[in-house]
Amino acid sequence: MRERFPAIEPYESGTLAVGDGHHVYWECCGNPVGRPALFLHGGPGSGASPGQRRFFDPQAYRIVLFDQRGSGRSRPLASEPDADLSTNTTAHLVADIETLRADLGVERWTVLGMSWGTTLGLAYAQAHPQQVRAMVLALVTTTSRREVEWITRDVGRIFPREWERFVTSVPGRLRHLPPADAYAALLFDPDPAARDRAAREWCAWEDAHISLTPGHTPNPRFEDPEFRLRFARLVTHYWRHAAFLGEDQLLRDAAKLNGIPGVLLHGRYDVSGPLATAWELAKRWTTCRLDVLEDAGHGGTESFPAAVVEALCGFANP
């Protein structure tokens, strides 16, 4: 079983103006003349982190990470009091990836996406298949309305105590709305204390529904008030709009990926994003394989990072 590679630092970084007043942070690590690879972080809103560089062989890959609009070191942040999310959509993010690819002089790259990053990776690859050499998608989701309904309502049957707190934390005047819509409104409440309460409760639910992962521990990043608000705002924004995509669009158009080699990695214990989505995708994307990790959930155990590293190493050679 392969371990993740040792920690590395970027050899180059910067910010790129992508329009609408947004400047996205990017960095390059590893081998400057290696095979280009792109990492797409989760959330949406999590931002890229140093540990994610370690999935890639630094001798083989020119590793590109960036913080999506509104997150991480990109500006403006979605947590700002007057944040405008109207120009933060999947189409905008796909365009940002293409702008970054052209700016860095990349012809084609291998794409690694995790969780929300798999939705974005699928949308990008279906729009620009000629720019994608290979894909590794872990914790597969398409952010469909059906999936959002599952994760905000139906999975409450597995976590009834936590779900009851999640929904009863919404004021009565908003309880007629779907949970993502109600929380999206609360996260922009004029009262900072109301915004913070909503962010805390949303992130507590996030921690609850991924807790079937063996050895799960709460996400320490949710202790940061700015991160909580940024993350919750972006997640609810994308979820309430079903990622600004047509229902089942990413599954329906999966044949556009045929010819692109891919690996799908999904945990058997992932109740947040049930295995059925990855299964249906694998049936339609004929040049990928699906690996089910029997001891992993949404995030995984020791087998999860090792499986990601193994899949990327399989695409490392010309």
Side-chain angles (χ1 to χ4, degrees), residues 3-10 29-30 49-56 58-59 63:
E3 299 293 331
R4 287 199 293 174
F5 293 94
I8 54 173
E9 294 298 319
C29 313
S49 65
Q52 292 155 351
R53 305 166 187 159
R54 298 178 57 199
F55 289 116
F56 302 86
Q59 299 301 314
I63 309 156

PDB file of all heavy atoms in Angstrom, residues 3-10 29-30 49-56 58-59 63:
ATOM      1  N   GLU A   3       2.059   5.050   0.496  1.00  0.00           N
ATOM      2  CA  GLU A   3       1.785   6.165   1.384  1.00  0.00           C
ATOM      3  C   GLU A   3       1.730   7.446   0.561  1.00  0.00           C
ATOM      4  O   GLU A   3       2.207   7.504  -0.569  1.00  0.00           O
ATOM      5  CB  GLU A   3       2.890   6.276   2.446  1.00  0.00           C
ATOM      6  CG  GLU A   3       3.026   5.057   3.334  1.00  0.00           C
ATOM      7  CD  GLU A   3       1.815   4.856   4.224  1.00  0.00           C
ATOM      8  OE1 GLU A   3       1.164   5.864   4.570  1.00  0.00           O
ATOM      9  OE2 GLU A   3       1.517   3.695   4.561  1.00  0.00           O
ATOM     10  N   ARG A   4       1.151   8.466   1.150  1.00  0.00           N
ATOM     11  CA  ARG A   4       1.234   9.770   0.496  1.00  0.00           C
ATOM     12  C   ARG A   4       2.681  10.225   0.453  1.00  0.00           C
ATOM     13  O   ARG A   4       3.500   9.839   1.282  1.00  0.00           O
ATOM     14  CB  ARG A   4       0.376  10.801   1.234  1.00  0.00           C
ATOM     15  CG  ARG A   4      -1.108  10.600   1.012  1.00  0.00           C
ATOM     16  CD  ARG A   4      -1.903  11.837   1.348  1.00  0.00           C
ATOM     17  NE  ARG A   4      -1.874  12.135   2.771  1.00  0.00           N
ATOM     18  CZ  ARG A   4      -2.394  13.237   3.302  1.00  0.00           C
ATOM     19  NH1 ARG A   4      -2.971  14.141   2.538  1.00  0.00           N
ATOM     20  NH2 ARG A   4      -2.349  13.444   4.597  1.00  0.00           N
ATOM     21  N   PHE A   5       2.986  11.081  -0.511  1.00  0.00           N
ATOM     22  CA  PHE A   5       4.356  11.554  -0.687  1.00  0.00           C
ATOM     23  C   PHE A   5       4.708  12.587   0.381  1.00  0.00           C
ATOM     24  O   PHE A   5       3.825  13.170   1.014  1.00  0.00           O
ATOM     25  CB  PHE A   5       4.524  12.131  -2.090  1.00  0.00           C
ATOM     26  CG  PHE A   5       4.410  11.087  -3.170  1.00  0.00           C
ATOM     27  CD1 PHE A   5       3.195  10.843  -3.804  1.00  0.00           C
ATOM     28  CD2 PHE A   5       5.512  10.329  -3.536  1.00  0.00           C
ATOM     29  CE1 PHE A   5       3.074   9.868  -4.779  1.00  0.00           C
ATOM     30  CE2 PHE A   5       5.399   9.340  -4.508  1.00  0.00           C
ATOM     31  CZ  PHE A   5       4.180   9.115  -5.131  1.00  0.00           C
ATOM     32  N   PRO A   6       6.009  12.826   0.618  1.00  0.00           N
ATOM     33  CA  PRO A   6       6.415  13.810   1.628  1.00  0.00           C
ATOM     34  C   PRO A   6       5.887  15.207   1.304  1.00  0.00           C
ATOM     35  O   PRO A   6       5.603  15.537   0.152  1.00  0.00           O
ATOM     36  CB  PRO A   6       7.951  13.770   1.561  1.00  0.00           C
ATOM     37  CG  PRO A   6       8.272  12.425   0.987  1.00  0.00           C
ATOM     38  CD  PRO A   6       7.168  12.109   0.030  1.00  0.00           C
ATOM     39  N   ALA A   7       5.773  16.011   2.350  1.00  0.00           N
ATOM     40  CA  ALA A   7       5.294  17.385   2.186  1.00  0.00           C
ATOM     41  C   ALA A   7       6.230  18.171   1.271  1.00  0.00           C
ATOM     42  O   ALA A   7       7.457  18.011   1.327  1.00  0.00           O
ATOM     43  CB  ALA A   7       5.192  18.065   3.547  1.00  0.00           C
ATOM     44  N   ILE A   8       5.640  19.008   0.434  1.00  0.00           N
ATOM     45  CA  ILE A   8       6.410  19.866  -0.466  1.00  0.00           C
ATOM     46  C   ILE A   8       5.826  21.270  -0.448  1.00  0.00           C
ATOM     47  O   ILE A   8       4.693  21.476  -0.014  1.00  0.00           O
ATOM     48  CB  ILE A   8       6.414  19.336  -1.923  1.00  0.00           C
ATOM     49  CG1 ILE A   8       4.971  19.129  -2.414  1.00  0.00           C
ATOM     50  CG2 ILE A   8       7.231  18.056  -2.035  1.00  0.00           C
ATOM     51  CD1 ILE A   8       4.881  18.778  -3.895  1.00  0.00           C
ATOM     52  N   GLU A   9       6.623  22.212  -0.919  1.00  0.00           N
ATOM     53  CA  GLU A   9       6.187  23.600  -1.029  1.00  0.00           C
ATOM     54  C   GLU A   9       6.078  23.980  -2.511  1.00  0.00           C
ATOM     55  O   GLU A   9       6.759  23.392  -3.358  1.00  0.00           O
ATOM     56  CB  GLU A   9       7.176  24.531  -0.325  1.00  0.00           C
ATOM     57  CG  GLU A   9       7.234  24.346   1.177  1.00  0.00           C
ATOM     58  CD  GLU A   9       5.903  24.657   1.844  1.00  0.00           C
ATOM     59  OE1 GLU A   9       5.258  25.653   1.424  1.00  0.00           O
ATOM     60  OE2 GLU A   9       5.512  23.915   2.761  1.00  0.00           O
ATOM     61  N   PRO A  10       5.258  24.961  -2.834  1.00  0.00           N
ATOM     62  CA  PRO A  10       5.154  25.401  -4.231  1.00  0.00           C
ATOM     63  C   PRO A  10       6.464  26.003  -4.726  1.00  0.00           C
ATOM     64  O   PRO A  10       7.199  26.637  -3.962  1.00  0.00           O
ATOM     65  CB  PRO A  10       4.062  26.470  -4.193  1.00  0.00           C
ATOM     66  CG  PRO A  10       3.331  26.254  -2.906  1.00  0.00           C
ATOM     67  CD  PRO A  10       4.337  25.686  -1.953  1.00  0.00           C
ATOM     68  N   CYS A  29       3.478  22.909  -7.842  1.00  0.00           N
ATOM     69  CA  CYS A  29       4.399  22.135  -7.017  1.00  0.00           C
ATOM     70  C   CYS A  29       4.959  20.985  -7.848  1.00  0.00           C
ATOM     71  O   CYS A  29       4.458  20.664  -8.924  1.00  0.00           O
ATOM     72  CB  CYS A  29       3.684  21.555  -5.797  1.00  0.00           C
ATOM     73  SG  CYS A  29       2.634  22.692  -4.898  1.00  0.00           S
ATOM     74  N   GLY A  30       5.977  20.348  -7.311  1.00  0.00           N
ATOM     75  CA  GLY A  30       6.504  19.159  -7.955  1.00  0.00           C
ATOM     76  C   GLY A  30       7.500  19.461  -9.048  1.00  0.00           C
ATOM     77  O   GLY A  30       8.381  20.328  -8.899  1.00  0.00           O
ATOM     78  N   SER A  49      -5.390  22.706   0.340  1.00  0.00           N
ATOM     79  CA  SER A  49      -4.543  22.661   1.531  1.00  0.00           C
ATOM     80  C   SER A  49      -3.226  21.951   1.208  1.00  0.00           C
ATOM     81  O   SER A  49      -3.154  21.181   0.241  1.00  0.00           O
ATOM     82  CB  SER A  49      -5.257  21.935   2.673  1.00  0.00           C
ATOM     83  OG  SER A  49      -5.472  20.579   2.347  1.00  0.00           O
ATOM     84  N   PRO A  50      -2.182  22.183   2.011  1.00  0.00           N
ATOM     85  CA  PRO A  50      -0.879  21.587   1.726  1.00  0.00           C
ATOM     86  C   PRO A  50      -0.908  20.067   1.640  1.00  0.00           C
ATOM     87  O   PRO A  50      -0.190  19.465   0.839  1.00  0.00           O
ATOM     88  CB  PRO A  50      -0.006  22.062   2.894  1.00  0.00           C
ATOM     89  CG  PRO A  50      -0.623  23.356   3.316  1.00  0.00           C
ATOM     90  CD  PRO A  50      -2.100  23.155   3.128  1.00  0.00           C
ATOM     91  N   GLY A  51      -1.732  19.412   2.453  1.00  0.00           N
ATOM     92  CA  GLY A  51      -1.769  17.960   2.435  1.00  0.00           C
ATOM     93  C   GLY A  51      -2.222  17.391   1.105  1.00  0.00           C
ATOM     94  O   GLY A  51      -1.866  16.256   0.754  1.00  0.00           O
ATOM     95  N   GLN A  52      -2.981  18.162   0.348  1.00  0.00           N
ATOM     96  CA  GLN A  52      -3.486  17.661  -0.933  1.00  0.00           C
ATOM     97  C   GLN A  52      -2.407  17.604  -2.005  1.00  0.00           C
ATOM     98  O   GLN A  52      -2.555  16.867  -2.985  1.00  0.00           O
ATOM     99  CB  GLN A  52      -4.665  18.534  -1.369  1.00  0.00           C
ATOM    100  CG  GLN A  52      -5.866  18.332  -0.450  1.00  0.00           C
ATOM    101  CD  GLN A  52      -6.815  19.512  -0.406  1.00  0.00           C
ATOM    102  OE1 GLN A  52      -6.529  20.591  -0.931  1.00  0.00           O
ATOM    103  NE2 GLN A  52      -7.967  19.316   0.225  1.00  0.00           N
ATOM    104  N   ARG A  53      -1.321  18.322  -1.806  1.00  0.00           N
ATOM    105  CA  ARG A  53      -0.184  18.208  -2.732  1.00  0.00           C
ATOM    106  C   ARG A  53       0.417  16.808  -2.671  1.00  0.00           C
ATOM    107  O   ARG A  53       1.007  16.340  -3.639  1.00  0.00           O
ATOM    108  CB  ARG A  53       0.904  19.224  -2.359  1.00  0.00           C
ATOM    109  CG  ARG A  53       0.457  20.667  -2.274  1.00  0.00           C
ATOM    110  CD  ARG A  53       1.519  21.518  -1.581  1.00  0.00           C
ATOM    111  NE  ARG A  53       1.061  22.881  -1.335  1.00  0.00           N
ATOM    112  CZ  ARG A  53       1.589  23.693  -0.427  1.00  0.00           C
ATOM    113  NH1 ARG A  53       2.605  23.280   0.337  1.00  0.00           N
ATOM    114  NH2 ARG A  53       1.115  24.923  -0.270  1.00  0.00           N
ATOM    115  N   ARG A  54       0.261  16.145  -1.545  1.00  0.00           N
ATOM    116  CA  ARG A  54       0.986  14.901  -1.280  1.00  0.00           C
ATOM    117  C   ARG A  54       0.375  13.679  -1.961  1.00  0.00           C
ATOM    118  O   ARG A  54       0.932  12.600  -1.868  1.00  0.00           O
ATOM    119  CB  ARG A  54       1.065  14.686   0.233  1.00  0.00           C
ATOM    120  CG  ARG A  54       1.817  15.785   0.975  1.00  0.00           C
ATOM    121  CD  ARG A  54       1.821  15.534   2.474  1.00  0.00           C
ATOM    122  NE  ARG A  54       2.403  14.239   2.778  1.00  0.00           N
ATOM    123  CZ  ARG A  54       2.211  13.596   3.930  1.00  0.00           C
ATOM    124  NH1 ARG A  54       1.421  14.120   4.874  1.00  0.00           N
ATOM    125  NH2 ARG A  54       2.781  12.423   4.134  1.00  0.00           N
ATOM    126  N   PHE A  55      -0.776  13.857  -2.614  1.00  0.00           N
ATOM    127  CA  PHE A  55      -1.341  12.739  -3.368  1.00  0.00           C
ATOM    128  C   PHE A  55      -0.564  12.462  -4.654  1.00  0.00           C
ATOM    129  O   PHE A  55      -0.634  11.366  -5.206  1.00  0.00           O
ATOM    130  CB  PHE A  55      -2.798  13.029  -3.729  1.00  0.00           C
ATOM    131  CG  PHE A  55      -3.742  13.000  -2.560  1.00  0.00           C
ATOM    132  CD1 PHE A  55      -4.416  14.144  -2.157  1.00  0.00           C
ATOM    133  CD2 PHE A  55      -3.972  11.823  -1.861  1.00  0.00           C
ATOM    134  CE1 PHE A  55      -5.301  14.117  -1.089  1.00  0.00           C
ATOM    135  CE2 PHE A  55      -4.847  11.778  -0.791  1.00  0.00           C
ATOM    136  CZ  PHE A  55      -5.509  12.933  -0.402  1.00  0.00           C
ATOM    137  N   PHE A  56       0.168  13.445  -5.139  1.00  0.00           N
ATOM    138  CA  PHE A  56       0.836  13.366  -6.432  1.00  0.00           C
ATOM    139  C   PHE A  56       2.328  13.076  -6.268  1.00  0.00           C
ATOM    140  O   PHE A  56       2.989  13.639  -5.387  1.00  0.00           O
ATOM    141  CB  PHE A  56       0.702  14.696  -7.177  1.00  0.00           C
ATOM    142  CG  PHE A  56      -0.712  15.145  -7.427  1.00  0.00           C
ATOM    143  CD1 PHE A  56      -1.403  15.880  -6.462  1.00  0.00           C
ATOM    144  CD2 PHE A  56      -1.343  14.870  -8.629  1.00  0.00           C
ATOM    145  CE1 PHE A  56      -2.701  16.325  -6.699  1.00  0.00           C
ATOM    146  CE2 PHE A  56      -2.641  15.307  -8.877  1.00  0.00           C
ATOM    147  CZ  PHE A  56      -3.324  16.033  -7.903  1.00  0.00           C
ATOM    148  N   PRO A  58       5.782  13.937  -6.804  1.00  0.00           N
ATOM    149  CA  PRO A  58       6.357  15.229  -7.182  1.00  0.00           C
ATOM    150  C   PRO A  58       7.447  15.122  -8.239  1.00  0.00           C
ATOM    151  O   PRO A  58       7.816  16.131  -8.843  1.00  0.00           O
ATOM    152  CB  PRO A  58       6.917  15.767  -5.861  1.00  0.00           C
ATOM    153  CG  PRO A  58       7.220  14.542  -5.065  1.00  0.00           C
ATOM    154  CD  PRO A  58       6.152  13.550  -5.430  1.00  0.00           C
ATOM    155  N   GLN A  59       7.952  13.917  -8.465  1.00  0.00           N
ATOM    156  CA  GLN A  59       8.928  13.734  -9.538  1.00  0.00           C
ATOM    157  C   GLN A  59       8.243  13.593 -10.898  1.00  0.00           C
ATOM    158  O   GLN A  59       8.810  13.947 -11.928  1.00  0.00           O
ATOM    159  CB  GLN A  59       9.777  12.483  -9.269  1.00  0.00           C
ATOM    160  CG  GLN A  59      10.575  12.549  -7.991  1.00  0.00           C
ATOM    161  CD  GLN A  59      11.528  13.735  -7.960  1.00  0.00           C
ATOM    162  OE1 GLN A  59      12.228  13.999  -8.929  1.00  0.00           O
ATOM    163  NE2 GLN A  59      11.532  14.461  -6.851  1.00  0.00           N
ATOM    164  N   ILE A  63       2.164  19.786 -10.439  1.00  0.00           N
ATOM    165  CA  ILE A  63       0.921  19.765  -9.665  1.00  0.00           C
ATOM    166  C   ILE A  63       0.371  21.185  -9.547  1.00  0.00           C
ATOM    167  O   ILE A  63       1.051  22.087  -9.051  1.00  0.00           O
ATOM    168  CB  ILE A  63       1.187  19.202  -8.262  1.00  0.00           C
ATOM    169  CG1 ILE A  63       1.948  17.873  -8.344  1.00  0.00           C
ATOM    170  CG2 ILE A  63      -0.106  19.055  -7.486  1.00  0.00           C
ATOM    171  CD1 ILE A  63       2.734  17.549  -7.087  1.00  0.00           C
TER     172      ILE A  63
END
